[in-house]
Amino acid sequence: MKKLLFLVVFASALAVSMYAQTNREALSQKGIDRITKEVRHELVMLPYYGVFDNLSYKVDPDGTVTLLGQVSRPTLKSDAENVVKRIEGVEKVVNNIEVLPTSINDDRIRRDVYRAIYGNDVLSSYQLRAVPPIHIIVKNGHVTLEGVVARSLEKAVANMQANKVPGVFSVTNNLRVEEEENKNAKKGDKKEDKK
């Protein structure tokens, strides 16, 4: 009798759980925007997040947050996942953050590229921000620059400065330029107005 009662209760709980999962509504755009803003805030506020790390993310309408990027400390990967899990509306976290291999040579390149970029007169003002906008990712001697700069000139200077550091095999410059993004946004607004 007890077994039968247990099976009935278990089957009912399972049915309710399956019903809730299949009838879960997708998040509204407002909900996605709120989660996106909170995820960004939580990631930027991580205590060990710095210029040698690159964190990005994607928020899906079903409440899944996918974490992307590269970090130099393994604890930062787990810290990022833990803070995002606590955000209201986040149903699932997929942690695809890559932990960069430890290397004395890569550490030297990180320091030297940092000095070359932020020591340059054109780019030195970016160093004063709480989280500098140019992130330097080094993996096996290959440098990737991530982040945002104000002008195309600054993107070019950062690229030149990173390329001149001894021991750097290649530089991938993924810096976005605010000036160009603003122009593209204005062009999009003008096209909308013509319609």
Side-chain angles (χ1 to χ4, degrees):
M1 182 70 178
K2 287 183 181 179
K3 287 182 183 179
L4 182 61
L5 182 61
F6 173 76
L7 287 174
V8 169
V9 170
F10 180 74
S12 323
L14 185 61
V16 168
S17 172
M18 289 173 60
Y19 178 78
Q21 287 178 351
T22 57
N23 289 327
R24 184 179 299 144
E25 290 183 25
L27 292 169
S28 66
Q29 188 57 46
K30 191 174 183 179
I32 292 171
D33 292 344
R34 180 191 56 78
I35 291 174
T36 300
K37 185 177 177 181
E38 286 187 42
V39 169
R40 181 189 181 291
H41 174 76
E42 291 296 335
L43 293 179
V44 169
M45 296 305 291
L46 286 168
Y48 298 109
Y49 177 57
V51 72
F52 303 125
D53 305 303
N54 174 43
L55 294 176
S56 59
Y57 54 91
K58 183 178 84 168
V59 179
D60 293 328
D62 68 351
T64 300
V65 176
T66 304
L67 297 174
L68 306 160
Q70 305 82 20
V71 294
S72 55
R73 293 183 186 98
T75 55
L76 190 54
K77 176 179 179 167
S78 57
D79 289 349
E81 181 175 346
N82 290 334
V83 296
V84 171
K85 278 182 183 176
R86 294 187 207 128
I87 295 172
E88 183 183 340
V90 173
E91 297 294 328
K92 179 180 171 187
V93 177
V94 177
N95 194 341
N96 291 336
I97 297 172
E98 174 188 8
V99 177
L100 297 168
T102 55
S103 162
I104 293 171
N105 189 48
D106 282 355
D107 288 342
R108 181 195 57 78
I109 291 172
R110 283 182 187 101
R111 284 191 308 271
D112 291 351
V113 171
Y114 179 88
R115 287 181 187 132
I117 288 175
Y118 289 107
N120 183 282
D121 290 339
V122 174
L123 303 170
S124 62
S125 63
Y126 287 123
Q127 184 180 12
L128 304 174
R129 297 184 184 178
V131 178
I134 301 172
H135 292 263
I136 303 160
I137 309 305
V138 181
K139 182 178 180 182
N140 301 325
H142 299 277
V143 175
T144 303
L145 302 178
E146 298 283 352
V148 180
V149 290
R151 295 178 294 282
S152 299
L153 170 70
E154 294 167 340
K155 179 178 179 174
V157 169
N159 192 60
M160 288 188 308
Q161 293 298 102
N163 269 305
K164 75 178 192 178
V165 171
V168 171
F169 297 130
S170 68
V171 175
T172 303
N173 191 345
N174 293 335
L175 292 173
R176 294 183 325 276
V177 179
E178 284 179 339
E179 186 178 79
E180 292 170 3
E181 288 178 1
N182 290 341
K183 283 181 185 177
N184 290 338
K186 287 179 183 176
K187 285 180 185 177
D189 289 344
K190 287 180 182 178
K191 287 180 183 176
E192 290 294 319
D193 291 343
K194 289 180 181 179
K195 289 182 180 179

